[in-house]
């Protein structure tokens, strides 16, 4: 009998565990099992003065206010989780899910008054980091490839000055266009 590869078993365990739970959370968001929507609001909450609403209830109402927002988050969770299932895409799924889990953890710390969800999110994040650590050689190779300093032809100081003047002019044009659009469309109610 072949010896077990502990790293491989640990990685598969982490990938499947995170897949099942984040898929469940993503599907739960889509079918309305998470957050308070207009159709699913606790009795009396809409009548309370906003200053008396708990952080949790306020956050849950805010998050549930836009189905589009819920859908984007849910699809990102589901996509990242599904990508964990394949050896070829597991690292992409991991890199999609890590920022989502960091956001969930920060949200849970500041808005939830119980810590079970925070504990779960923290476990998922550690499992995602375990996947990265187990695949550190691949991650280091990708990172090194991204930051590899490719030799570029020598440019004179005069050419550098012209290049940065052009860049500065483009930035000014983009800023002016941005401000025209914002002023035309307005800032909203904020």
């Amino acid at each position: 009998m072949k010896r077990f590869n502990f790293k491989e078993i640990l990685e598969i365990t982490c990938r499947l565990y995170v897949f099942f739970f984040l898929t469940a959370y993503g599907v739960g968001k889509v079918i309305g099992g998470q957050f308070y929507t207009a159709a699913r609001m606790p009795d009396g909450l809409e009548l309370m003065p906003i200053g008396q609403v708990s952080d949790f209830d306020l956050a849950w109402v805010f998050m549930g206010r836009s189905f589009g927002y819920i859908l984007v988050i849910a699809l990102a969770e589901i996509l990242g989780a599904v990508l964990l299932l394949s050896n070829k895409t597991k690292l992409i799924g991991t890199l999609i899910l890590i920022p989502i889990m960091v956001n969930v953890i920060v949200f849970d710390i500041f808005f939830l008054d119980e810590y079970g969800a925070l504990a779960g999110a923290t476990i998922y994040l550690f499992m995602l980091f375990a996947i990265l650590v187990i695949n550190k050689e691949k991650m280091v190779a990708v990172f090194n490839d991204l930051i590899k300093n490719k030799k570029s032809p020598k440019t004179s100081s005069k050419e550098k000055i012209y290049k940065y003047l052009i860049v500065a002019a483009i930035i000014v044009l983009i800023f002016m266009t941005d401000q025209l659009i914002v002023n035309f469309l307005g800032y909203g109610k904020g």
Side-chain angles (χ1 to χ4, degrees):
M1 186 164 122
K2 186 178 173 187
R3 279 187 37 169
F4 289 110
N5 180 337
F6 178 73
K7 283 184 177 181
E8 182 181 7
I9 291 171
L10 177 62
E11 180 189 311
I12 292 169
T13 302
C14 291
R15 288 167 50 196
L16 289 176
Y17 193 87
V18 172
F19 164 77
F20 285 123
F21 279 95
L22 289 189
T23 299
Y25 278 117
V27 170
K29 285 175 179 67
V30 172
I31 63 174
Q34 197 173 18
F35 307 131
Y36 298 153
T37 61
R40 205 178 66 77
M41 185 84 58
D43 291 336
L45 185 61
E46 71 278 359
L47 302 175
M48 291 177 71
I50 200 159
Q52 293 178 1
V53 177
S54 72
D55 289 347
F56 175 85
D57 286 337
L58 190 59
W60 240 232
V61 168
F62 175 75
M63 299 293 275
R65 182 77 174 151
S66 167
F67 182 72
Y69 176 79
I70 293 170
L71 191 60
V72 167
I73 299 303
L75 292 177
E77 286 176 347
I78 294 168
L79 173 66
V82 168
L83 290 173
L84 292 176
L85 295 178
S86 168
N87 274 326
K88 290 183 179 185
T89 59
K90 65 187 174 190
L91 295 177
I92 296 169
T94 301
L95 294 174
I96 289 171
L97 292 173
I98 285 175
I100 293 171
M101 295 318 306
V102 168
N103 183 60
V104 168
I105 289 168
V106 170
F107 184 87
D108 289 354
I109 288 170
F110 291 105
F111 292 108
L112 294 185
D113 46 9
E114 62 172 83
Y115 297 101
L118 174 61
T122 304
I123 289 168
Y124 310 145
L125 182 63
F126 280 126
M127 289 181 144
L128 292 167
F129 282 137
I131 294 167
L132 291 183
V133 169
I134 290 167
N135 292 277
K136 69 182 173 220
E137 292 83 17
K138 288 180 185 176
M139 294 304 299
V140 167
V142 168
F143 185 74
N144 284 338
D145 193 46
L146 288 173
I147 63 169
K148 192 182 300 180
N149 190 5
K150 296 176 178 127
K151 295 284 182 185
S152 56
K154 197 87 162 149
T155 56
S156 69
S157 297
K158 188 176 181 179
E159 289 174 319
K160 286 180 183 177
I161 291 170
Y162 283 138
K163 179 172 64 174
Y164 285 106
L165 284 173
I166 292 169
V167 168
I170 293 170
I171 288 172
V172 168
L173 286 173
I174 292 170
F175 177 75
M176 289 171 47
T177 304
D178 172 37
Q179 292 306 298
L180 284 171
I181 293 169
V182 168
N183 286 319
F184 177 73
L185 296 175
Y187 285 95
K189 295 178 183 176

